Amino acid sequence: MNRPFFLFFILIFVPGIIFAQDDQLPRIANAGADTVYYCGGPVVVFPNILIQNITIDNPSDGIKISVANYKKGADILSYSGSKFSAKWDNDYGNLELTGSGTSEEYTEEVKNVYYEFLLQTSAFEEKSFSVSLIDADYLPHTGHFYKYFRNSGIYWTDANERASKDTLYGLQGYLATITSEIENDFIWSKIDGVGWIGANDVAKEGDWKWVTGPEKGTAFWFGGTAEQGGKPVEGRYSFWNRGEPNNNLGKEHYAHMNMNPSTLPKSWNDLPNVGGTAYYFPQGYIVEYGGMEGDPEVQLSAAGYIKKGQKPVLQLDQSDLLVCGEQEQQISLKYDQDVEVVIHPLDNSTVVLDDSTLTPTLKADKYGEFDFEVEVFGQCKYSDMITVKFQHQPEASFYINEEKCKGYNIELNFTGSTLEQATFYWYSNDTVYTSGKDMTSAVIPLGFGLRDREVGLRVDEKECFDESFESVTVTPKMDFWVEENASGCPPLNVRFGNNDVEDIESYYWDFGDGSFSDEKAPSHIYENKTLSDTVFNVWLEIVSSEGCKNSGPLSEAITVHPIPTADLDFEENICYQESGEINYVGSAGERDKFIWDLSDFDSSEIIKDPGFTAGPLEFKLWSKPVVNVGVQAVTEFGCKSEKILKTYKRKPVFHLSPDTIEGCPPVETMLNITTEDLVDNVDYTWDAGNGQTGTGNSIQAYYTEDDKYYDITISGSSSVTGCVDTLLVQGKVFVYPVPEAAFVPNPEVAYITDPVIKFDNTSRGANTFEWDFGDQSPLSIEESPEHRYPDMGVYDVSLFTGNEFGCSDSSMQQVRVTLDKIYPPNAFSPNASKEEDREFGLYAPGITEKGYHLTIFNRWGEIIFESQSYLKGWDGKLRNGQNAAAGVYVWVLEYSDFLEKIHKQQGTVTLFY
């Protein structure tokens, strides 16, 4: 290339291309419209291209149209003309038109170059294009030209020198400086191997600067890799590969663009001046043209843009589409882009005036709803449909009574007109109170709203409206409420709020508990002496400055919860056992909380802690006689009872040791009364159960009555609490049963002629026996033995008995062995002579010296003879007529034997005449 000379007359000569001179400068411009819109399908890229004062003679030269942000497979350019040869480069996104031709011919043929998006139209993004002479690529974003020079193995310093000596259309060349992602992407798409760019850190390691072009001396990166802390300078653009620049071996100081497929696409690397090997072997360099001081103002390229075509958005005043009471309407069509329109009526009853303007007039010859089509010519061609309604205009009027204070309700009656069915909206102030189809009357409440009230009617007849409002003087609206403490525990301080919507002269509050107030927003203290919730209704009456009254309630406005009662289910004046159970009693319920004070208990005494429940508290009070128990009830609403503290008095606790005492009588005991309570002071009295009583903490007693359990009763009296308790220990002492030895000899007196006596054992409670017959014979263990005595005499017979408890008893009796027997009195005749007097005789050789006693009774029980003698032999006579008469008499003889045992015999005797 030849560097151009700048004079008043400029001649630029490029082989095969002739540029005009003087005021006819060569020029490529996209005049008239800078942007083309893509709506789908092929579209002309440069419809307004202008090429002036350029004649191309060489058939291999021509014009190049490039897609600046080309995406392979998505973008394509095509040529529909036939004047020139066309070549599409699918790799770089260029279409070249070549052949001899004039400026005018190339201008017309470039207009035959079309762009088409090969993917879905919805994925289309804005495209930028350039048109220039074939020998350079033009980037509209920078306004610069770019060339890639292939030169395998070229050093960076050589590439820099060659670039600085190259020119394009008089523009100074330099190794490319890349300052944006757009520029980076554009350059990368033009190279096919490692390409040097105009940056190095030769002056200072890590201080990367652009050292060529207009950016010469501009630092854009400082430090090593980003991982090592390297960072952009003042946010300037760079695109180093991962782990770059790394200054490998301390020799890499020159920047180039990567082509290694394993690196980030389009990224940069640092290399030595000579380059590297394999993918890093230099393949060429990129030269940029433009922006240098002294460059001529040449326009040998032009930029164009294709944007995605947007459907024009119609902004139509909806009020234009409803015509009330008329049959003609001018509408205003507004779009968000410049468009041209044509409007068509779609009904024979309508016409359009000024149908090609944005302010057409629509007419109809009857009421109804009619459609119109709008053809829109903008970025792309579309059509819209609009619907216009021509409707009857209703009239809204109503009748209202003339009362000054209307109360809470007022009846309104429609007096206007409608043609078709209409919807009526009846207003209280600015609020619709009620509405409905053909609702020609309504009762409107006037007690609610703002001051300066009014009532009104709005009639909607197929979206055509009319309305009418009238002012009314109303009963003042009441707006009062509970400001604070609508519910709570007594004393409940309630503050009321009141908002006047009109001027109020007086207030009268009735708090529902017999109290009143004339304040605007009073406070009042409520009480509740019951055990259930008490609900109060509040009433307020107000009088406005217009003299209108209003009143109303706050129903169930205040709820005062009761203060719960609290007690414990024991009495302080009663003494209780060691183990106990205490429950809360009162008006609180299951959903309430109970706070117990158990601080007086030893922790080991509490068996079941009630927590926050009503109980039970289970305990065993062993360490002290008195404990204070407290509880407070807190309801679910936070109402607290008074905290009660009651004294629980325990009866004295004591024990008797040792365990049960047993033995044969007599049993002697020594028992001790013990307690674990070291606090209580107890005095004891006791009853041993055998008649013995005493005091103190030890019991010494004697038990003689056998076969018996003895209960011991102890009464303890506390001087601390005054409590008394009695301990009954049943069967504490058991005296074993003692056998009762007894026997009956049979006979008691035996005769020597038959000296055998049988001993009948009548003992009780015995199971072992031992007999001593008193004659030095061997002992016997039979239960009821017989024994033969060898001689006459009196013998002491002993019986020894025993039982399973080891207790024993004995019994002793005397038996006799004699020669003869006692004869009973003989019978005699009372009329015998004196010599023949029969004696009442008794022969008693076995009678002791203590003698006998004989008594004779007649039949009437009268004693007729009584005699006592200490002599053996005869005793007394009965004589007829003397002291007895003939008859039968009873005799009774009592005597004692040698064993001093008393014997008694009786019988009868007959006296004969």
Side-chain angles (χ1 to χ4, degrees):
M1 290 288 178
N2 295 318
R3 182 179 301 273
F5 293 91
F6 295 91
L7 300 172
F8 289 102
F9 299 97
I10 300 175
L11 175 64
I12 300 175
F13 175 77
V14 177
I17 302 176
I18 300 175
F19 299 142
Q21 304 180 50
D22 200 4
D23 56 346
Q24 297 180 347
L25 294 175
R27 181 167 175 259
I28 299 176
N30 188 16
D34 294 331
T35 303
V36 176
Y37 294 96
Y38 187 77
C39 301
V43 60
V44 176
V45 179
F46 290 102
N48 299 298
I49 191 68
L50 179 61
I51 302 174
Q52 294 178 315
N53 304 320
I54 297 175
T55 300
I56 297 177
D57 291 332
N58 190 342
S60 62
D61 290 329
I63 297 296
K64 176 170 64 176
I65 299 92
S66 301
V67 184
N69 50 345
Y70 174 69
K71 291 184 179 180
K72 188 175 181 179
D75 304 321
I76 189 171
L77 296 174
S78 61
Y79 173 57
S80 63
S82 59
K83 172 66 177 176
F84 299 118
S85 297
K87 179 183 178 184
W88 166 245
D89 189 334
N90 193 47
D91 291 324
Y92 296 103
N94 301 324
L95 177 70
E96 294 181 352
L97 297 181
T98 58
S100 300
T102 65
S103 297
E104 292 77 8
E105 289 174 327
Y106 268 98
T107 296
E108 293 304 317
E109 293 307 312
V110 170
K111 294 178 181 180
N112 289 324
V113 175
Y114 288 82
Y115 167 79
E116 185 172 6
F117 186 62
L118 301 178
L119 304 179
Q120 292 290 332
T121 303
S122 60
F124 177 80
E125 297 177 349
E126 180 179 340
K127 295 293 178 180
S128 60
F129 302 84
S130 66
V131 57
S132 63
L133 297 175
I134 286 177
D135 61 348
D137 281 307
Y138 177 74
L139 177 61
H141 177 74
T142 61
H144 295 180
F145 293 90
Y146 300 84
K147 275 188 178 183
Y148 174 65
F149 290 91
R150 293 181 179 84
N151 193 328
S152 180
I154 189 171
Y155 292 3
W156 184 92
T157 51
D158 292 341
N160 182 42
E161 183 180 358
R162 293 189 183 189
S164 65
K165 293 180 178 180
D166 193 32
T167 61
L168 178 66
Y169 312 132
L171 303 176
Q172 177 64 52
Y174 51 89
L175 282 182
T177 59
I178 305 174
T179 59
S180 70
E181 183 179 4
I182 295 174
E183 187 176 14
N184 193 69
D185 291 351
F186 178 80
I187 293 174
W188 188 81
S189 67
K190 307 303 177 183
I191 64 177
D192 58 4
V194 171
W196 295 114
I197 57 178
N200 66 41
D201 66 347
V202 172
K204 181 180 179 180
E205 173 59 34
D207 187 7
W208 284 90
K209 296 181 180 180
W210 296 112
V211 295
T212 63
E215 290 80 15
K216 183 176 181 180
T218 301
F220 64 89
W221 182 267
F222 182 78
T225 67
E227 292 81 2
Q228 296 171 342
K231 58 184 178 180
V233 175
E234 297 182 1
R236 295 188 177 102
Y237 181 77
S238 63
F239 192 51
W240 295 106
N241 187 33
R242 291 181 295 263
E244 301 293 344
N246 62 4
N247 191 24
N248 189 26
L249 301 179
K251 298 179 179 180
E252 296 184 342
H253 304 293
Y254 301 91
H256 77 102
M257 295 189 79
N258 277 316
M259 286 301 289
N260 187 343
S262 65
T263 61
L264 291 175
K266 312 175 189 177
S267 64
W268 307 347
N269 189 17
D270 57 341
L271 287 176
N273 182 45
V274 298
T277 59
Y279 286 112
Y280 300 102
F281 187 74
Q283 300 295 327
Y285 55 96
I286 302 100
V287 180
E288 183 176 353
Y289 307 89
M292 293 291 287
E293 184 177 355
D295 279 350
E297 295 183 6
V298 295
Q299 188 173 345
L300 296 179
S301 64
Y305 302 90
I306 296 181
K307 295 183 178 180
K308 185 176 182 179
Q310 302 294 327
K311 178 180 178 180
V313 177
L314 175 60
Q315 299 171 344
L316 184 63
D317 188 344
Q318 294 298 313
S319 64
D320 288 349
L321 303 182
L322 178 64
V323 184
C324 298
E326 302 289 342
Q327 291 174 265
E328 179 177 325
Q329 177 78 346
Q330 185 180 42
I331 63 174
S332 177
L333 303 176
K334 297 179 181 179
Y335 287 90
D336 61 348
Q337 56 183 261
D338 293 334
V339 298
E340 294 180 355
V341 297
V342 177
I343 305 170
H344 306 283
L346 299 180
D347 190 283
N348 293 331
S349 298
T350 59
V351 296
V352 180
L353 305 179
D354 300 325
D355 60 352
S356 297
T357 70
L358 294 176
T359 56
T361 298
L362 311 179
K363 299 181 67 174
D365 58 11
K366 60 181 180 180
Y367 289 134
E369 185 175 303
F370 304 101
D371 294 329
F372 298 85
E373 181 185 19
V374 182
E375 283 189 283
V376 185
F377 303 92
Q379 296 175 3
C380 301
K381 180 181 177 182
Y382 295 95
S383 65
D384 285 317
M385 186 73 68
I386 61 175
T387 300
V388 180
K389 298 178 182 179
F390 296 91
Q391 307 289 356
H392 171 262
Q393 174 63 48
E395 178 189 354
S397 61
F398 57 89
Y399 168 78
I400 183 172
N401 65 54
E402 298 179 356
E403 294 180 3
K404 179 181 178 181
C405 298
K406 299 298 191 294
Y408 284 106
N409 302 288
I410 184 170
E411 183 175 358
L412 305 179
N413 293 287
F414 176 63
T415 58
S417 66
T418 58
L419 185 63
E420 299 185 53
Q421 186 182 63
T423 301
F424 287 69
Y425 299 90
W426 294 96
Y427 282 79
S428 174
N429 293 305
D430 57 354
T431 302
V432 175
Y433 173 71
T434 185
S435 63
K437 299 292 185 183
D438 292 336
M439 182 183 287
T440 57
S441 65
V443 177
I444 306 298
L446 300 179
F448 305 95
L450 303 174
R451 65 182 68 198
D452 299 326
R453 291 187 174 90
E454 61 181 7
V455 294
L457 171 63
R458 179 179 174 87
V459 179
D460 177 2
E461 183 181 345
K462 290 190 173 180
E463 301 182 13
C464 287
F465 298 91
D466 189 30
E467 61 184 22
S468 175
F469 287 84
E470 289 190 30
S471 298
V472 292
T473 302
V474 297
T475 298
K477 177 187 174 184
M478 299 182 65
D479 183 13
F480 64 106
W481 62 92
V482 178
E483 182 72 24
E484 288 183 359
N485 302 328
S487 64
C489 306
L492 180 63
N493 189 1
V494 180
R495 185 161 67 90
F496 293 91
N498 183 19
N499 181 34
D500 294 335
V501 296
E502 296 190 22
D503 293 331
I504 302 301
E505 287 189 348
S506 65
Y507 307 88
Y508 180 77
W509 292 82
D510 183 344
F511 297 117
D513 62 352
S515 300
F516 308 93
S517 175
D518 60 1
E519 298 178 18
K520 176 182 178 181
S523 294
H524 182 64
I525 295 177
Y526 285 87
E527 297 289 350
N528 182 2
K529 302 299 184 181
T530 72
L531 296 180
S532 60
D533 287 350
T534 300
V535 178
F536 298 92
N537 298 320
V538 179
W539 185 272
L540 173 62
E541 180 181 278
I542 59 175
V543 180
S544 72
S545 59
E546 297 175 339
C548 293
K549 292 183 180 181
N550 197 2
S551 61
L554 290 176
S555 298
E556 300 181 356
I558 307 299
T559 300
V560 184
H561 305 294
I563 296 295
T565 60
D567 200 358
L568 297 171
D569 61 350
F570 69 88
E571 300 296 333
E572 290 185 297
N573 59 351
I574 296 178
C575 299
Y576 296 91
Q577 297 297 329
E578 174 186 23
S579 295
E581 181 179 292
I582 297 176
N583 293 275
Y584 161 86
V585 290
S587 60
E590 293 181 355
R591 293 185 295 182
D592 300 329
K593 181 180 179 180
F594 304 88
I595 302 173
W596 291 80
D597 182 353
L598 306 179
S599 59
D600 220 10
F601 283 94
D602 187 276
S603 61
S604 64
E605 294 176 323
I606 298 176
I607 298 173
K608 180 181 180 182
D609 191 320
F612 293 110
T613 70
L617 161 66
E618 296 179 9
F619 60 89
K620 184 176 182 181
L621 190 61
W622 60 266
S623 68
K624 49 189 164 295
V626 174
V627 67
N628 292 320
V629 184
V631 72
Q632 182 181 39
V634 182
T635 69
E636 59 181 314
F637 305 106
C639 300
K640 298 179 180 180
S641 72
E642 64 173 335
K643 181 179 179 182
I644 67 162
L645 192 67
K646 293 180 70 174
T647 300
Y648 181 94
K649 295 194 297 185
R650 187 209 63 202
K651 294 180 180 180
V653 178
F654 47 87
H655 312 281
L656 188 61
S657 62
D659 294 336
T660 301
I661 298 175
E662 302 173 342
C664 298
V667 175
E668 181 179 1
T669 63
M670 178 60 74
L671 301 173
N672 295 313
I673 304 171
T674 60
T675 181
E676 295 177 353
D677 188 346
L678 302 180
V679 177
D680 203 1
N681 186 13
V682 182
D683 296 323
Y684 302 99
T685 60
W686 50 265
D687 184 339
N690 62 347
Q692 290 181 264
T693 59
T695 61
N697 57 3
S698 63
I699 301 174
Q700 184 174 5
Y702 298 89
Y703 299 86
T704 58
E705 187 176 349
D706 73 320
D707 196 14
K708 184 175 182 180
Y709 285 95
Y710 291 87
D711 299 336
I712 297 180
T713 304
I714 306 171
S715 178
S717 176
S718 171
S719 61
V720 176
T721 63
C723 294
V724 177
D725 196 15
T726 300
L727 175 65
L728 174 62
V729 184
Q730 295 181 330
K732 184 66 175 180
V733 178
F734 177 38
V735 181
Y736 295 148
V738 175
E740 183 179 342
F743 62 92
V744 176
N746 187 20
E748 186 176 351
V749 178
Y751 304 108
I752 194 61
T753 57
D754 186 14
V756 177
I757 299 177
K758 178 175 176 57
F759 297 95
D760 293 324
N761 192 339
T762 60
S763 300
R764 290 183 299 175
N767 58 10
T768 62
F769 310 95
E770 186 177 80
W771 296 85
D772 184 348
F773 299 111
D775 59 354
Q776 297 184 346
S777 61
L779 301 177
S780 172
I781 60 173
E782 294 183 24
E783 184 174 348
S784 296
E786 288 183 348
H787 186 70
R788 178 179 291 276
Y789 284 90
D791 298 306
M792 292 186 297
V794 178
Y795 298 94
D796 293 330
V797 179
S798 297
L799 171 60
F800 300 92
T801 61
N803 60 16
E804 64 272 21
F805 297 102
C807 298
S808 61
D809 191 25
S810 63
S811 178
M812 191 272 290
Q813 293 190 53
Q814 287 185 337
V815 297
R816 283 191 303 152
V817 179
T818 64
L819 292 175
D820 210 341
K821 61 182 179 179
I822 297 175
Y823 296 94
N826 59 327
F828 58 90
S829 172
N831 56 359
S833 62
K834 182 177 180 180
E835 289 79 10
E836 294 177 346
D837 285 342
R838 301 289 298 273
E839 295 179 347
F840 184 77
L842 177 66
Y843 176 70
I847 296 178
T848 66
E849 293 182 353
K850 292 184 178 181
Y852 60 89
H853 182 264
L854 175 64
T855 305
I856 300 177
F857 301 87
N858 63 17
R859 59 181 177 176
W860 294 283
E862 299 172 338
I863 299 174
I864 62 172
F865 181 83
E866 185 175 14
S867 177
Q868 184 171 348
S869 175
Y870 293 99
L871 300 177
K872 299 178 183 178
W874 307 105
D875 182 90
K877 296 180 180 179
L878 288 177
R879 291 183 175 82
N880 184 27
Q882 182 178 356
N883 57 357
V888 178
Y889 294 86
V890 176
W891 60 269
V892 178
L893 176 64
E894 294 180 83
Y895 65 94
S896 59
D897 59 16
F898 292 104
L899 299 177
E900 298 185 359
K901 183 174 182 180
I902 303 301
H903 297 272
K904 185 177 182 179
Q905 293 185 14
Q906 67 182 26
T908 60
V909 64
T910 304
L911 295 181
F912 300 95
Y913 294 101

